[in-house]
Amino acid sequence: MQLTTILSLFVAAASATPCPGSPRKFGIMALRSASPIHFASAGASQNGIALNLSDARADADCVDGSKPKSATFYIEDERLYLYGKKGGVVQQFVVDRSGMGQGVVRYSTKTESDPTGHLEVKGWAVDENDNLSFNGTGLIGCPAQDGSWNIWLGTVAKPAGQEGCLGFSARTVDVKKPVQCTYSNYA
Ligand SMILES: *[C@@H]1O[C@H](CO)[C@@H](O)[C@H](O)[C@H]1NC(C)=O
Ligand SMILES: *[C@@H]1O[C@H](CO)[C@@H](O)[C@H](O)[C@H]1NC(C)=O
Ligand SMILES: *[C@@H]1O[C@H](CO)[C@@H](O)[C@H](O)[C@H]1NC(C)=O
């Protein structure tokens, strides 16, 4: 085999393999049998994540022009991010487990330094069952007017006094062909 052929095979193999440091891209599917949210997937809009995102709230700006109702996530150094555009803004999740925050989960543009006070960014993990949690606390969904279910950390049963919230297993599922999107930011 000629050297040039070997080299081109090598280049082809290298470009087909994701770089070793590239974190897994995943979607979030809710598992809560015998409930309306069983198998619903999580989308991102207006700084929050929700199951069964409504058409109106599916407002991401994606490189392929799609308006996905399911968001693509990744974890790096225990921090949860939305899979964004190369060279674009980095959207990172922040939680507040304090009595004030009641387990609120929000994303916004990543800043130079970590937020302070009750806001936390580090603690996200996917366990051996592929469930996502924040330092051991799972997710809950609270029904909204438009049919979507806003996602909170399950630190309290009724965050902000909301009724009808349901805990669920946040099962992470591989996204084979992730699409880079910037999700709407009103913060
Ligand atoms: C995470 O959870 C462990 C065990 O429940 C606890 O000891 C630890 O303080 C927690 N860490 C944070 C940052 O909340
Ligand atoms: C999902 O949202 C649609 C409206 O966008 C609504 O009709 C439907 O009932 C919702 N499903 C659940 C499980 O809440
Ligand atoms: C995580 O996954 C397992 C296995 O599928 C499931 O039994 C468990 O209840 C899940 N949820 C949580 C919150 O751990």
Side-chain angles (χ1 to χ4, degrees):
M1 213 185 282
Q2 289 192 337
L3 181 62
T4 47
T5 314
I6 295 168
L7 282 177
S8 63
L9 284 175
F10 183 77
V11 168
S15 56
T17 320
C19 31
S22 176
R24 173 190 179 222
K25 311 297 181 299
F26 60 86
I28 298 172
M29 183 174 70
L31 296 180
R32 168 83 189 233
S33 56
S35 87
I37 57 170
H38 200 38
F39 299 135
S41 65
S45 175
Q46 299 169 14
N47 305 97
I49 46 173
L51 301 172
N52 195 36
L53 207 65
S54 65
D55 290 334
R57 281 175 74 192
D59 59 355
D61 173 19
C62 301
V63 290
D64 67 354
S66 63
K67 300 275 177 206
K69 290 190 172 194
S70 307
T72 302
F73 306 82
Y74 64 94
I75 292 175
E76 214 166 47
D77 185 28
E78 288 183 46
R79 296 150 190 269
L80 181 66
Y81 297 97
L82 288 163
Y83 182 56
K85 297 180 186 177
K86 213 168 195 155
V89 297
V90 177
Q91 297 183 306
Q92 180 185 38
F93 283 87
V94 171
V95 303
D96 185 344
R97 297 185 290 171
S98 72
M100 286 288 286
Q102 310 235 307
V104 69
V105 177
R106 308 288 285 165
Y107 66 85
S108 56
T109 303
K110 185 177 167 70
T111 46
E112 270 305 302
S113 50
D114 284 344
T116 53
H118 296 306
L119 303 176
E120 299 174 277
V121 290
K122 267 187 93 161
W124 292 99
V126 174
D127 70 15
E128 65 280 6
N129 294 316
D130 266 342
N131 295 335
L132 176 72
S133 63
F134 187 87
N135 198 39
T137 303
L139 303 179
I140 63 172
C142 298
Q145 293 279 341
D146 67 355
S148 59
W149 295 66
N150 292 316
I151 294 174
W152 298 67
L153 276 185
T155 45
V156 294
K158 296 180 181 181
Q162 297 175 95
E163 297 291 340
C165 304
L166 291 176
F168 62 88
S169 293
R171 177 62 47 84
T172 61
V173 287
D174 287 337
V175 177
K176 294 277 186 263
K177 289 183 180 162
V179 177
Q180 298 170 355
C181 301
T182 303
Y183 297 85
S184 57
N185 183 6
Y186 292 67

